[in-house]
Amino acid sequence: MTVIQSAKTETKSKLSEAPADSAADLLNAMAAMPVGHPSRVSLRDRAIEAWLPLARHLAHRYSGRGEPTDDLIQTATVGLIKAVDKFDPERGVDFAGYAIPTIIGEIKRHFRDRTWSVRVPRRLQELRLSITEANSTLTHTLGRSPTVADIAVHLGVTEEDVLEGLEGARAYNATSLSTPISADGTTELGDTLGGEDHEFELAETRVALGPALALLDEREQKILTLRFYGNLTQSQIADQVGISQMHVSRLLTKALTKLRTQLASEAL
């Protein structure tokens, strides 16, 4: 018996205890009214309330999968409302047979679109489900855990596709960086991750700076050293070199222009 057939049987047995006008009759009465009829809204609300046990029942069937039951009930209720609004009794299908796949579809979309810690393409989400089913089937058939090659042959895909699906499955649940990873609980997962080292941003510049500085004459190198490594003012540099402050300013500008030009050419 399928999930839908099972749910339909259980739902009918539960709803049979309720008054007749609290379920199917409400939907029939609502469908017979014009869209703008003032009583239609009230009938719609009563019909939704009458069929809420169906939504709750289906939501509980999917509990225990990492999602709060209240969220699943809310999602199932959304599916029920969609089913009530779109149901047409003239098609000859009873409401339970129409509503159950609608509600289940809404719940499955919730798991597909809302429960992944990292959003991955739908193709990988579906591949993950196929791999899980194949793993269960092959374990029973082969009497051992299937290999990637076994799963690939079973699904008719490449081994690379299987590996990609397994990698994508890791995005379903996230692990907190505060998770203890040592026996005494003093070391957390976040402690094993390296921090950002801003010095790496300057590494290439430092490598290129040596040859660029070598292109400057001795006086230009000395002035740059005193200014940027000695942290001297232009007046102090002028006193040490024996030239005017204005001359120091011109030499600094000239030297920096040479360096920028050289560094820019090497970057190309």
Side-chain angles (χ1 to χ4, degrees):
M1 181 179 293
T2 64
V3 173
I4 293 179
Q5 291 173 331
S6 174
K8 186 175 179 181
T9 300
E10 295 178 27
T11 301
K12 282 186 174 180
S13 65
K14 292 183 178 181
L15 292 176
S16 63
E17 302 173 1
D21 65 344
S22 67
D25 290 349
L26 288 169
L27 292 167
N28 292 330
M30 186 179 73
M33 290 182 178
V35 175
H37 196 283
S39 299
R40 185 180 175 87
V41 175
S42 176
L43 279 175
R44 175 179 179 270
D45 292 342
R46 290 169 59 195
I48 292 171
E49 291 176 2
W51 286 92
L52 275 177
L54 169 62
R56 294 194 185 99
H57 171 70
L58 293 174
H60 281 291
R61 294 178 70 96
Y62 285 85
S63 62
R65 302 188 183 186
E67 278 295 279
T69 301
D70 287 346
D71 288 356
L72 294 178
I73 291 176
Q74 187 177 56
T75 301
T77 302
V78 171
L80 171 63
I81 293 172
K82 290 181 179 180
V84 168
D85 290 341
K86 296 180 181 180
F87 179 64
D88 184 1
E90 295 183 358
R91 294 182 179 178
V93 179
D94 66 306
F95 181 72
Y98 174 77
I100 289 173
T102 303
I103 296 172
I104 290 178
E106 194 71 25
I107 293 174
K108 288 184 176 180
R109 277 192 294 275
H110 173 79
F111 276 100
R112 184 191 72 201
D113 299 333
R114 305 295 182 190
T115 61
W116 287 73
S117 298
V118 177
R119 191 73 171 88
V120 300
R122 183 175 179 180
R123 176 182 68 84
L124 290 182
Q125 296 183 24
E126 294 175 347
L127 181 58
R128 166 184 172 268
L129 295 176
S130 298
I131 292 174
T132 300
E133 294 176 0
N135 186 66
S136 177
T137 300
L138 291 173
T139 299
H140 177 73
T141 303
L142 301 175
R144 59 173 173 80
S145 297
T147 63
V148 171
D150 294 331
I151 296 175
V153 172
H154 181 80
L155 296 178
V157 298
T158 65
E159 293 184 25
E160 288 74 14
D161 289 335
V162 175
L163 292 173
E164 186 179 13
L166 293 173
E167 185 67 24
R170 297 181 181 179
Y172 188 75
N173 293 314
T175 301
S176 172
L177 293 178
S178 299
T179 302
I181 59 173
S182 61
D184 56 6
T186 58
T187 304
E188 298 178 348
L189 179 61
D191 297 332
T192 65
L193 303 179
E196 184 176 0
D197 189 345
H198 297 286
E199 294 298 315
F200 281 117
E201 300 176 3
L202 303 175
E204 291 185 2
T205 301
R206 286 172 174 167
V207 170
L209 189 58
L213 283 171
L215 298 176
L216 303 180
D217 60 41
E218 185 177 348
R219 185 167 61 173
E220 289 172 337
Q221 292 182 24
K222 181 176 181 179
I223 290 175
L224 284 178
T225 302
L226 292 174
R227 178 69 185 91
F228 294 103
Y229 290 92
N231 293 320
L232 300 183
T233 65
Q234 291 186 11
S235 297
Q236 292 171 327
I237 296 173
D239 292 339
Q240 286 203 23
V241 178
I243 59 178
S244 68
Q245 180 181 342
M246 184 67 68
H247 197 181
V248 170
S249 177
R250 288 197 295 267
L251 289 174
L252 274 174
T253 301
K254 180 181 177 182
L256 291 174
T257 300
K258 287 182 180 180
L259 287 179
R260 293 191 187 98
T261 301
Q262 181 63 22
L263 292 175
S265 64
E266 291 182 2
L268 297 176

